[in-house]
Amino acid sequence: MKKISLRGRVFPTDLNHAGTVFGGWLMGKMDKAASIQIEDILISPAVTVAVSDMSFLRPVYSGAIFTIYTEVLAIGNTSVKVDVDVQIKCRDTHEEYSVTHAVFTFVIIDDNKRPRNVREVIRDDIDDYIRRKL
Ligand SMILES: CC(C)(COP(=O)(O)OP(=O)(O)OC[C@H]1O[C@@H](n2cnc3c(N)ncnc32)[C@H](O)[C@@H]1OP(=O)(O)O)[C@@H](O)C(=O)NCCC(=O)NCCS
């Protein structure tokens, strides 16, 4: 089940020399959105260990309002995979379309920064669709 984890607007300082959004800036937003999704289901620090299937599908321009949707794809022993989809809302039609997509993998860590079992730190109030992935 997809949920909104982050929204914002692109400013001129967020662009590359071609005049479209700088990919690294957008990746940072995606990482933050994924980390918010992680914190919604776990009570523990977590770090990004991998990013896969990164695709920049369409250019993003200054002034665009973006919405980052996240969805928990899989829960491992110490890791969680989050699907991250960035969408832009067309100013005229209000239709949304995907501009960037990736899968972020987070590892839950303990006080010594070592991997920790997800099931020790899962929140009680998680949605049923997430509980079914445990
Ligand atoms: C994250 C970290 C603690 C993992 O330590 P590690 O010794 O590699 O841990 P493990 O090999 O036991 O792997 C831990 C989990 O990560 C997964 N993992 C490790 N590398 C991965 C990769 N490249 N892609 C996908 N998953 C990966 C493993 O499959 C395992 O998942 P599971 O327990 O659910 O099966 C360590 O790599 C680290 O500190 N990395 C730096 C993190 C960081 O600074 N991120 C950027 C800022 S947030």
Side-chain angles (χ1 to χ4, degrees):
M1 191 196 299
K2 277 189 175 189
K3 58 178 286 189
I4 294 174
S5 289
L6 200 66
R7 294 192 78 212
R9 188 190 287 280
V10 176
F11 282 86
T13 50
D14 309 324
L15 305 183
N16 59 30
H17 57 282
T20 56
V21 83
F22 176 54
W25 179 84
L26 202 49
M27 284 177 75
K29 298 288 177 201
M30 295 168 80
D31 201 11
K32 283 180 184 148
S35 74
I36 290 169
Q37 169 69 82
I38 293 286
E39 199 160 316
D40 278 349
I41 66 165
L42 299 171
I43 310 170
S44 174
V47 290
T48 313
V49 73
V51 183
S52 60
D53 300 330
M54 186 87 214
S55 300
F56 292 96
L57 306 167
R58 294 176 66 173
V60 180
Y61 299 95
S62 183
I65 292 173
F66 63 86
T67 305
I68 306 185
Y69 293 90
T70 59
E71 179 172 14
V72 175
L73 288 180
I75 300 178
N77 293 321
T78 66
S79 70
V80 178
K81 279 190 195 312
V82 180
D83 182 273
V84 181
D85 181 34
V86 185
Q87 301 215 358
I88 297 290
K89 191 172 256 187
C90 175
R91 192 169 284 147
D92 296 332
T93 64
H94 253 201
E95 275 177 49
E96 279 194 314
Y97 56 92
S98 286
V99 293
T100 308
H101 170 265
V103 175
F104 283 71
T105 304
F106 281 72
V107 174
I108 318 313
I109 52 166
D110 62 19
D111 291 344
N112 298 314
K113 317 288 183 217
R114 294 303 304 151
R116 174 175 191 183
N117 195 299
V118 174
R119 284 146 194 86
E120 292 172 6
V121 290
I122 199 88
R123 290 185 190 274
D124 292 335
D125 61 353
I126 52 169
D127 290 337
D128 283 346
Y129 95 94
I130 291 175
R131 198 171 296 283
R132 283 194 290 273
K133 295 178 189 294
L134 287 171

